[in-house]
Amino acid sequence: MVAIDQGSALPQDGLFHISRLRGWAIIASVTALVGIGGFAVRGFSENGLRLGSELAWRFTCFVFFAAIIAGPLARLIPSQTLHRICEQRRQLIWGFCASFGVYLASVLVPNLLAHRDDLTAGMTTFVMFGAGLIVIIGYTASRQAADLLGETARRTILVVGLSTFWLAYALTGLAYISGPHRPDAFYGFSLSLMIAALLLRFADRFAANIRSHGRPA
């Protein structure tokens, strides 16, 4: 599932230098604004908190999709713009991690501030597991991780981490479109995005095999 490799050097001009520093923060800020917008629409009520968290979750799905298709898409389509996006793919990975952190905060913080007792063990476990996983993914997407862990271990951990989120989004979408839930077009769309990302990854590998051997593997 991982759409990141180390093959491209990052550009050093001022514009992209600023982008590298702030891209993840912009994504996190947009996620926070989306969540706050959901809160505000329903007057910061219980329903508003629920809507804000739901909108943040949905936004992280789109960020995740962009992060995992950036590399394959840039390699499959000869576009200078796509190659620049691919070169900045670490910002998309870090942006996803930051945006998911905002989502976790939208789940946890309102309950803590209100001193509620309905923060279940399952919810606490979910928040802790999610927080730990995004920290691991964020670190293994960095150059320093290869020096400490080795490139093979770094890539393996990153693949497992991103695949876990892929399964979470895909299975959530599948559960909503097949289970006894109220119809919601988003979940069918999110499942389609995950399937599209997987097919794009397979196409990238297939094209790489053809380039390397002159025939399909």
Side-chain angles (χ1 to χ4, degrees):
M1 277 304 302
V2 65
I4 296 109
D5 58 37
Q6 299 288 350
S8 301
L10 295 172
Q12 298 298 322
D13 58 275
L15 177 62
F16 284 103
H17 180 66
I18 293 174
S19 175
R20 290 204 310 275
L21 290 175
R22 300 181 181 178
W24 66 268
I26 292 173
I27 294 173
S29 298
V30 173
T31 309
L33 290 174
V34 168
I36 292 171
F39 298 162
V41 164
R42 298 190 178 174
F44 295 94
S45 63
E46 184 76 22
N47 288 335
L49 295 174
R50 190 177 298 109
L51 176 61
S53 293
E54 178 69 17
L55 292 178
W57 163 266
R58 296 185 181 199
F59 185 75
T60 63
C61 178
F62 295 119
V63 178
F64 178 75
F65 176 71
I68 62 174
I69 70 168
L73 198 63
R75 288 187 289 269
L76 289 169
I77 301 176
S79 166
Q80 189 63 30
T81 300
L82 287 176
H83 277 286
R84 288 182 177 179
I85 294 174
C86 181
E87 288 169 345
Q88 298 299 311
R89 61 201 176 280
R90 287 189 184 87
Q91 288 300 312
L92 290 172
I93 290 291
W94 291 331
F96 165 69
C97 292
S99 66
F100 198 83
V102 172
Y103 161 70
L104 292 178
S106 74
V107 172
L108 184 62
V109 172
N111 289 279
L112 294 178
L113 292 179
H115 302 287
R116 295 174 183 164
D117 296 327
D118 58 349
L119 189 62
T120 64
M123 184 183 296
T124 303
T125 301
F126 167 74
V127 171
M128 293 178 63
F129 177 78
L133 190 56
I134 60 175
V135 168
I136 292 171
I137 291 174
Y139 177 70
T140 52
S142 68
R143 294 185 184 278
Q144 292 81 3
D147 297 333
L148 178 65
L149 304 173
E151 181 60 18
T152 300
R154 183 199 72 83
R155 288 176 65 84
T156 299
I157 295 171
L158 189 57
V159 166
V160 172
L162 292 175
S163 297
T164 300
F165 277 108
W166 185 90
L167 284 172
Y169 285 117
L171 293 178
T172 299
L174 185 61
Y176 267 83
I177 65 175
S178 61
H181 299 282
R182 186 173 56 187
D184 191 328
F186 167 79
Y187 290 101
F189 182 61
S190 66
L191 178 60
S192 298
L193 290 181
M194 296 304 108
I195 294 173
L198 189 61
L199 293 176
L200 189 62
R201 183 61 182 171
F202 285 150
D204 181 40
R205 292 295 297 272
F206 183 76
N209 284 334
I210 292 177
R211 289 192 296 267
S212 298
H213 307 293
R215 63 181 185 280

